Amino acid sequence: EMTALAEACYLLMPSLSRIIQNLEKRVLVKRKISSADLRRSALSLSAEGVRLVEFIAPQSEARYDHITEVFG
């Protein structure tokens, strides 16, 4: 749900909307409009999005470990 994601990421809705549009164009996320409320969307990673996360996550974790090691 877009509102919950915006709050969790500390982003304003217009910024999140632009980011999601970009990710949709790159086929990294899928958006499904709620049948109960057409103003709401549910988001999920596409198969390609999952592959990208699995590829990047170890590198990201290593960088955070390095930052923690250097700065505490």
Side-chain angles (χ1 to χ4, degrees), residues 6 8 26 51 55 63:
R26 295 167 57 197
R51 281 191 290 277
F55 176 75
R63 287 186 183 174

Side-chain angles (χ1 to χ4, degrees), residues 1-71:
E1 204 272 318
M2 294 279 286
T3 303
L5 182 59
E7 290 174 3
C9 295
Y10 298 97
L11 290 170
L12 297 175
M13 281 300 293
S15 297
L16 179 62
S17 292
R18 282 191 302 277
I19 292 167
I20 295 300
Q21 286 173 3
N22 179 280
L23 293 173
E24 282 182 303
K25 287 178 188 173
R26 295 167 57 197
V27 194
L28 296 173
V29 298
K30 297 182 279 185
R31 184 190 325 217
K32 183 178 178 188
I33 305 298
S34 168
S35 58
D37 184 346
L38 298 178
R39 298 168 296 172
R40 300 180 74 120
S41 298
L43 300 170
S44 61
L45 287 175
S46 66
E48 186 63 27
V50 170
R51 281 191 290 277
L52 181 61
V53 169
E54 289 172 347
F55 176 75
I56 291 178
Q59 298 169 42
S60 180
E61 185 68 30
R63 287 186 183 174
Y64 280 111
D65 289 344
H66 176 73
I67 290 168
T68 301
E69 184 180 305
V70 171
F71 296 103

